[in-house]
Amino acid sequence: MLSAKFWRDNSFAWLLLLPSLVFLILFTFYPIGKTVILSLQQSDLAAREPIFIGLDNYKSLIGDSIFWKVMTNNFWFAIGTIPTSIALALAMAVFANKALRGKGFVRTAFFYPNVIPMIAIANVWLFIYTPQYGLLSRAMKYVEKGDLNWLGNPDLVMWALIVMIVWREAGYFMIFYLAGLQNVSPDLYEAADIDGARPWLVFRKITFPLLMPTTLFVMIVALTNSFKLVDHLFIMTKGGPDNASSLLLYYIYEQAFAFWDLGKASTLTIVMIVLLLIISAVQFFWMDKKVHYE
Amino acid sequence: MKACIKLIGVTLIAASFIAGCSNAGQNNTNKLPASQTNTEGNAEEKIELTFYYPVQVGGPLTATIEGMAAEFTKQNPNITVKSVYTGNYSDTAVKTQAAVQGGTPPDIAVLLANELYTLLDMDAITPLDSFIDKDPDDTYVNDFFPAFMANAQTDGKTYSIPFQRSTVLLYYNKDAFREAGLDPNKPPTTWDELAEMSVKLTKQGQWGIEIPATAPTPATWLFQTFALQNGKNVMTSDGKQAIYDTPENVEALQFWLDLSTKYKSMPKGVIDWATTPSDFLQGKTAMMYHTSGNLTNVKANSTFDFGVSFLPKKKQYGSPTGGGNLYIFKGIPEKNKEAAWKFIKFLTESERAAQWSIDTGYVAVRKSAYETENMKAYTTDFPEALVAKDQLQYADSELATHNVGKTVKALSDAIQRVVTGNSDPASALKQAQEEADKALEPFNK
């Protein structure tokens, strides 16, 4: 049978893991389990005690037009923010890496949006987008007559949010790219220089491929972030007008804490978890093969 | 070494158990008066009340509330009020209901008057009738304005006491009226006049009127003004039916839309609730629909001569009431309930209600508050403070139904769809009616 040493070593390992395990179970596994159960129940104001209803919550989502609108919004929001903020982050990182003078200032300036609290950002941008005397409206007056109600128009509100998020995320991702750039060996650039390669070619053949691991990481973060946005919506639009700016997490919040429909909120949460799992899995297992690691 | 590891392990396990279980036990331990053990020398037991309150309008109201709580303890040394500032109304609702579901309700809270059915469905609040009946002062409840009590009573029972209440007012810029050649003492009194005057008041850099439509409540609250003026309220008084899809309501929503599309005297799209007062104060709009709760703010910050008036009528004047009531919760000891009732009576004493109204701009909730010297002196100086009170005779309760989150959302989505030009009033209201019916179905069985 197993020796005393085996038990001693193993229990020691478990003891060391215990603190993290306790927290993981308490704050991750237990809530997920509870959410799964709740998603199979009717638990709203009409039911004082939760009633088991099987997959009815999931079925009703299929017929819920607002749910599909929210998913579509989220899709366009992801398409609008992720590539732009990543491209911008890369450009900014390359620039901040090369900047000869004021390196510190450039980096701080780019990263600054991430230092400001979310709610403050939302209020600042609420002011920027205010019709008539908002910053953007004033600027627009010089170009054309435009006095656009950015947040009050369903066709514009998503663009307004996308611009704001790109502004915030790009600086954040830049930090990862900067770290990535520091890891690229200078020898490669020297060699390229001796061969007389032009900057664009150097970027395409050396910098960009070697940054692929960073890009993969940043993409996963960006995708999850695009589903996680909620704070700004509270301050700026409340998901409106007519749900035009509602995103998945805001919709979940609304179901849970404005309507007290905990069953539906749990169902939506499960949908979100599954979606994020699929996306991360695809990125990890499929894209990872295409990434070049040194 | 080994002993040390064992100790750490045991402590951690114990700690995690305590963390996990404390919720269940808290309810009982928390609510016991802290000083139950040192009863000697104390004739009365010490009681600690937890009081959740929101602040929804500008101004240092937290200080005012803390001051009132301290004053109350001075008068009742055995009762301490622990006042907890809980954000705006929706934050307060979330925190309160989370506390209720966690088994540790506050003793008393200020929540929106239209949360009544939600709180009843959650079985969270205590009816106040036994306190009212026992009270030697039997005029107390009748002294409140009936329009405010409408949201506090259902099924013949009283569940809450009005505290910080409001109606919608028309604010107008008298200087702008003069510039446009209008009589600054004659604000519009009918929908037609409103449309006509707002057109005259519109010029480069200045809109005639702004009516905010932020989701969910500002949109539905302001829509109710038009619905009431054109007929009747948007729900039944038992909270079981929503009445959205009527010809009168379609006409009402059409008028709201016309202001921006036909008369072009209001900005298109959804106007933000929070920035509307700034627009008014900055002279970007000559008139606005906004809560009377903003009166003190506008008075303090306007650089021009302004007036307030009843909302213009169609068939009649009309405005929904709004704002918060005081609720006492279930699942707290009987003596806490009694202390909470005492605190409610203290907060709504005529003098204090008058002062609260002067400080905030909310309507004083009791008729007798307007008889106090303090209020008389204030309103002689500033008669605008009486408009909201006078409008009360035409007021009715705010949209309150079972499942109110969903019924409000159905209507506010419809309104936003219309004012953003994505639907016509008739089909938008029809859809809202269907959604609301679905949300109310379980309560009509």
Side-chain angles (χ1 to χ4, degrees), chain A residues 105-124:
Chain A
F105 174 76
V106 169
R107 289 179 189 187
T108 314
F110 286 160
F111 189 68
Y112 194 64
N114 289 283
V115 183
I116 314 170
M118 300 266 216
I119 301 298
I121 290 180
N123 276 307
V124 168

Side-chain angles (χ1 to χ4, degrees), chain B residues 29-30 70 82 127 175 187 397 399 412 425:
Chain B
T29 48
N30 209 22
K82 208 175 88 200
D175 290 354
S397 43
L399 174 51
S412 76

